[in-house]
Amino acid sequence: MLRIERILCPLDFSEFSDRACRYAQSLARHYEAALTLVHVVPPVFAAYPSYVYPDMVNDIYQDLRAHAEELLRLFASSHIRGGVQVVNKVCEGAVTESILALAATESPDLIVMGTHGRHGFDHLLLGSVTEKVLRKARCPVLVVRALTPESGVREDGDSVHLRKILFGTDFSPHSERALQYALSLAEEYAAELTLLNVLDEVPPSTDLSTITADVIRQLEAPIPAEAREWCTIKSRLRVGRPYQEILHYARETGADLVVLGVRGRNALDLALFGSTTHRVIQSGPCPVLAVHI
């Protein structure tokens, strides 16, 4: 059985990290997991380094760290509810590297992060910190974006309701791993789980009903028999570009979460970052859980 025992949630005190924290604590409550909130104090760069003394830099860092610790304490006291075990951490250094270093040390089972909107560079890069953590983290990363008008996500104050989970699969090993998370989340939240496969095209001479029946069998083969006792499972096939069809289906059905597998870590994979997953995160109407092998 899949266990999530440690969750890491980086915060920058923006509206995006506020939403990420709501998801992080909801997951921590459902899985009885420990939640670590982390804020990173970035390096201090001087315009005239020759006039800066080490003691001055140390004093600045001490003040910034003390201020960050107080902000994090206030944030936790006002946002965390219902008996969640939480630890506050403040790190100093480059933001991405500090988050990844903390993740390497603490080995969380899940990282939950907020990311920026869909304008300008943010639309292309997701927000550079989240982008880099997604590429390099050794555990699944849940990316939470700002709510959009077409979003079907339901939030009630600090509560997060995952009623509809969409799992996209291409039947590869990285999808098999992601399925474990989709099933586990569907069980924890008593959610409806849709298994979706997208074909790029169907040969003209091929019977679509025959292909559909075969795909449905493949989708449902790894599902444990008992899974249908605690959640509703649907299987669907669509034809088109995978990321577009996943986005369309998520919007049409009001999905609360999309779960996708991400390919390995060779040079090409890192360059493309699993193009389907990347594009769904960029433009999707709801949070996306990216699961690495």
Side-chain angles (χ1 to χ4, degrees), residues 101-180:
L102 184 61
T105 300
E106 301 210 343
S107 300
D109 301 300
L110 177 67
I111 297 174
V112 182
M113 297 189 69
T115 192
H116 305 132
R118 289 156 51 180
H119 303 289
F121 236 27
D122 288 339
H123 177 61
L124 297 175
L125 299 180
L126 301 176
S128 59
V129 172
T130 304
E131 171 88 1
K132 292 175 183 176
V133 172
L134 277 163
R135 290 177 184 271
K136 297 181 180 180
R138 296 292 176 177
C139 65
V141 179
L142 175 61
V143 181
V144 182
R145 296 175 57 258
L147 283 173
T148 58
E150 73 271 23
S151 174
V153 175
R154 289 158 284 262
E155 295 180 10
D156 178 17
D158 293 323
S159 299
V160 171
H161 307 287
L162 300 183
R163 298 190 180 101
K164 294 185 177 182
I165 297 174
L166 175 59
F167 166 65
T169 177
D170 59 4
F171 302 118
S172 60
H174 63 280
S175 290
E176 293 174 10
R177 176 63 172 161
L179 177 59
Q180 298 178 35

Side-chain angles (χ1 to χ4, degrees), residues 8-10 36-40 87-91 95-108 111:
L8 178 64
C9 182
T36 298
L37 304 179
V38 59
H39 177 72
V40 180
V87 174
N88 297 333
K89 286 186 178 291
V90 173
C91 302
V95 177
T96 304
E97 288 72 15
S98 296
I99 293 170
L100 292 170
L102 184 61
T105 300
E106 301 210 343
S107 300
I111 297 174

Side-chain angles (χ1 to χ4, degrees), residues 52-272:
V52 176
Y53 298 97
D55 290 345
M56 182 185 301
V57 174
N58 290 336
D59 289 343
I60 293 173
Y61 262 126
Q62 287 179 6
D63 290 343
L64 289 174
R65 184 181 183 92
H67 181 62
E69 288 173 347
E70 178 64 9
L71 286 177
L72 195 55
R73 184 189 68 79
L74 292 172
F75 182 95
S77 64
S78 62
H79 286 73
I80 304 300
R81 302 283 186 273
V84 174
Q85 179 187 345
V86 62
V87 174
N88 297 333
K89 286 186 178 291
V90 173
C91 302
E92 299 171 6
V95 177
T96 304
E97 288 72 15
S98 296
I99 293 170
L100 292 170
L102 184 61
T105 300
E106 301 210 343
S107 300
D109 301 300
L110 177 67
I111 297 174
V112 182
M113 297 189 69
T115 192
H116 305 132
R118 289 156 51 180
H119 303 289
F121 236 27
D122 288 339
H123 177 61
L124 297 175
L125 299 180
L126 301 176
S128 59
V129 172
T130 304
E131 171 88 1
K132 292 175 183 176
V133 172
L134 277 163
R135 290 177 184 271
K136 297 181 180 180
R138 296 292 176 177
C139 65
V141 179
L142 175 61
V143 181
V144 182
R145 296 175 57 258
L147 283 173
T148 58
E150 73 271 23
S151 174
V153 175
R154 289 158 284 262
E155 295 180 10
D156 178 17
D158 293 323
S159 299
V160 171
H161 307 287
L162 300 183
R163 298 190 180 101
K164 294 185 177 182
I165 297 174
L166 175 59
F167 166 65
T169 177
D170 59 4
F171 302 118
S172 60
H174 63 280
S175 290
E176 293 174 10
R177 176 63 172 161
L179 177 59
Q180 298 178 35
Y181 284 85
L183 283 168
S184 179
L185 288 163
E187 179 178 9
E188 288 294 332
Y189 285 86
E192 174 186 285
L193 174 60
T194 298
L195 315 174
L196 176 66
N197 176 246
V198 181
L199 296 178
D200 290 315
E201 60 181 1
V202 176
S205 59
T206 305
D207 179 33
L208 182 58
S209 62
T210 301
I211 291 181
T212 300
D214 183 56
V215 168
I216 297 300
R217 281 193 294 270
Q218 290 185 70
L219 287 170
E220 298 185 351
I223 305 300
E226 64 272 17
R228 297 183 186 278
E229 298 176 5
W230 36 258
C231 72
T232 300
I233 297 178
K234 298 180 178 180
S235 301
R236 297 289 185 267
L237 170 66
R238 289 205 167 184
V239 179
R241 299 187 70 176
Y243 82 90
Q244 291 179 337
E245 294 304 318
I246 292 171
L247 289 173
H248 290 161
Y249 195 90
R251 293 191 181 100
E252 289 170 9
T253 60
D256 299 305
L257 177 70
V258 175
V259 181
L260 297 170
V262 180
R263 290 183 170 85
R265 301 174 183 280
N266 62 39
L268 180 59
D269 289 334
L270 287 175
L272 295 177

